[in-house]
Amino acid sequence: MASTQVIPQDHQAALDELVKQAQNDVVPRMVSDSQQQEVALLGNLKNLTTGAMNLHAEKMWSGSFFQKYRDDIPSGVTIGFSILANIQDGIKSAVVYSGRSNSGHQCGWLVAWSNPRDIHAKKVYVECRPIAKYNNINWEIIESELNKSSSNSSHSDTSTQTSIHARILSMEHPVKSESDGITIASFN
């Protein structure tokens, strides 16, 4: 049975570390006047499992990649990605990585986020389940769950003994607009 719960303290520390890393990785971008109306989202995904994870599926509702996801995330490694969009449309996207849980189950970890023009409406949604759940993804359901979510999300799946934790936040020093944001997630 799946559950949503409070982020454990050790995972909270890992998320805090990812936030600091993401904020340090922000490099001011030179933009022309025509690009001033864009919103950016920087993301960090950390694999805390004992094995590699592979890109399984992705969905872009709005926005386009500046830096795509890596095809794999080795154990203990954090990867970065970035997405740009017209500020009127905002950014809305999702990704699923697959791999083995620490207990040996073949699993999928999903993280979806929305970085709209309204900086107070940032949302992130996560879930983890057996990989078969992600062989035919109903993206409309994922988008619906994302729309009901908040800026923090945590999920544990007892059948696979996996968990995922994520948050989306504003950059301390936005480089393009007040809507620029950071998404961070850790896969356990």
Side-chain angles (χ1 to χ4, degrees):
M1 176 174 182
S3 67
T4 300
Q5 55 183 240
V6 175
I7 299 173
Q9 190 170 13
D10 59 334
H11 296 298
Q12 183 67 44
L15 287 176
D16 290 342
E17 177 186 324
L18 283 172
V19 168
K20 288 178 188 171
Q21 180 180 348
Q23 289 171 334
N24 290 335
D25 289 345
V26 174
V27 177
R29 295 179 290 276
M30 300 301 291
V31 295
S32 68
D33 289 342
S34 66
Q35 293 175 314
Q36 292 290 336
Q37 295 302 310
E38 289 185 335
V39 60
L41 182 122
L42 304 176
N44 281 300
L45 307 174
K46 185 166 189 172
N47 177 359
L48 295 175
T49 69
T50 57
M53 299 174 75
N54 298 301
L55 182 61
H56 183 77
E58 60 185 88
K59 175 69 173 173
M60 185 77 68
W61 288 281
S62 61
S64 60
F65 286 106
F66 182 75
Q67 177 187 2
K68 285 195 61 91
Y69 313 113
R70 280 189 43 178
D71 289 335
D72 66 334
I73 309 174
S75 178
V77 171
T78 301
I79 64 159
F81 65 91
S82 56
I83 300 172
L84 299 174
N86 177 296
I87 199 164
Q88 298 301 324
D89 299 329
I91 294 169
K92 188 182 277 189
S93 186
V95 66
V96 177
Y97 275 89
S98 64
R100 292 211 177 270
S101 67
N102 293 339
S103 59
H105 294 93
Q106 191 65 25
C107 305
W109 291 263
L110 176 140
V111 59
W113 52 87
S114 174
N115 187 33
R117 182 177 189 168
D118 177 0
I119 65 171
H120 303 291
K122 293 180 185 330
K123 296 177 185 290
V124 65
Y125 170 76
V126 296
E127 62 179 44
C128 49
R129 311 225 191 261
I131 193 61
K133 159 104 165 80
Y134 302 107
N135 288 337
N136 189 14
I137 301 168
N138 184 331
W139 292 111
E140 289 178 7
I141 291 174
I142 301 301
E143 184 177 25
S144 175
E145 291 298 322
L146 173 61
N147 291 339
K148 295 185 285 188
S149 193
S150 68
S151 61
N152 290 290
S153 186
S154 183
H155 183 263
S156 294
D157 181 63
T158 55
S159 70
T160 59
Q161 300 174 355
T162 57
S163 62
I164 182 170
H165 312 284
R167 91 173 63 139
I168 185 170
L169 58 146
S170 297
M171 292 183 196
E172 284 184 21
H173 306 288
V175 294
K176 287 195 174 191
S177 73
E178 289 298 316
S179 299
D180 285 357
I182 300 171
T183 297
I184 52 143
S186 64
F187 307 100
N188 308 58

